[in-house]
Amino acid sequence: MHGPSAPPPTSGIAEEVAAGWRRLAAGDAQAALELCGRLVAAHGERASVVALAAAAARGLGQPDAGGRLDERAAMLALNQGHRHGAAQDLRAALAAYRWGATLCPEQSFHYHFTGEALLALNRIAEAAAAFRSALRLRHDDVPAAFRLADTLVLLGLWQATAAAARRAVLLAPDHPIPHGLESLSAHALGRHAQALAALDRAARLAPERPAFTLHRGHVLRELGDVTGALAAFRAAAAGDPNRTEAYFNAALCMAALGRSPAGLPENGPYAEARLAEGRAAE
């Protein structure tokens, strides 16, 4: 079922399209449809014109044609949103994506791109709602499942993140990211064993990503396994020599074990400085 055809948020031929909508409102669907034909011939296919044509077709008692035209208008709106996004006009992109969802509310990807635009605008809660809408329409939408879990992390809603991450794991068990997200939520909820198990799965799937090893170090240190945490932080530093957080946390572990952070490799001086800053702030 398609949504009601409606005028677009913006259009380069706005005045002529608006005149078409007035003709349609006055009951002259045929004149509105003929205007659409002339506009397409003069300007090419535009989402605003195709949406007007869809409404005119319905006004002439052609609902199937109206539905097909709505689908076409929604795809044109989607492409328009992509162009606005590429030009960094995020508000215009959001308006286009939302319009596509209005035209074809049963197509999940319109909500997904709406969520992406909202996320880029830092409207996090609205983005989460959009990704949920995408998943309601298509339960196996893996990208939407990933993005919902990501967004819930940003909101700090850890119970909801845990549920979203678990759903993502079930949809894509061979992808490391949902396992990493599951570990984040489990850690935040104090479920350390679950967090470590999820990190083990993530690390097996993506051994080249030191972020999982770094997170493992934090969990182990909270559990009091300072030696294990030190090993994890050292491994993370070896995997990414520019990851200063790994050196700094390794320095903290070495200090806790009564060992000098000066034993760390290249970024050891940086770690020592950060450690000194931490002591000064205590």
Side-chain angles (χ1 to χ4, degrees), residues 49-231:
V49 177
V50 177
L52 173 59
R58 286 194 178 87
L60 292 170
Q62 302 170 19
D64 290 343
R68 289 192 296 272
L69 287 166
D70 266 340
E71 287 184 4
R72 181 57 185 159
M75 290 306 299
L76 290 168
L78 185 71
N79 292 334
Q80 182 179 317
H82 292 342
R83 288 194 297 273
H84 286 310
Q88 297 300 307
D89 189 348
L90 298 176
R91 295 186 185 280
L94 175 59
Y97 293 141
R98 279 182 161 167
W99 186 41
T102 298
L103 291 168
C104 286
E106 75 280 8
Q107 293 178 334
S108 65
F109 51 83
H110 294 295
Y111 298 94
H112 184 111
F113 285 110
T114 295
E116 294 288 358
L118 287 163
L119 203 54
L121 289 166
N122 204 35
R123 293 161 63 174
I124 311 300
E126 293 174 81
F131 292 130
R132 281 197 177 99
S133 294
L135 282 165
R136 276 195 295 270
L137 290 167
R138 184 181 160 195
H139 301 297
D140 61 347
D141 188 338
V142 173
F146 281 22
R147 295 304 269 161
L148 175 59
D150 274 338
T151 305
L152 292 169
V153 168
L154 295 175
L155 291 170
L157 299 174
W158 296 112
Q159 291 284 5
T161 299
R166 192 60 198 156
R167 179 178 191 168
V169 166
L170 293 173
L171 288 174
D174 294 329
H175 198 292
I177 294 300
H179 296 285
L181 290 167
E182 184 179 5
S183 74
L184 283 174
S185 60
H187 187 189
L189 293 168
R191 302 168 184 168
H192 294 89
Q194 182 183 347
L196 290 172
L199 285 167
D200 285 344
R201 293 193 298 272
R204 281 196 299 272
L205 291 166
E208 75 284 358
R209 297 191 184 187
F212 299 130
T213 308
L214 182 67
H215 187 192
R216 181 179 183 81
H218 288 300
V219 177
L220 290 172
R221 190 168 64 186
E222 284 188 17
L223 288 171
D225 184 358
V226 181
T227 301
L230 175 59

Side-chain angles (χ1 to χ4, degrees), residues 245-256:
E245 181 185 356
Y247 292 104
F248 175 54
N249 282 283
L252 291 175
C253 291
M254 292 180 76

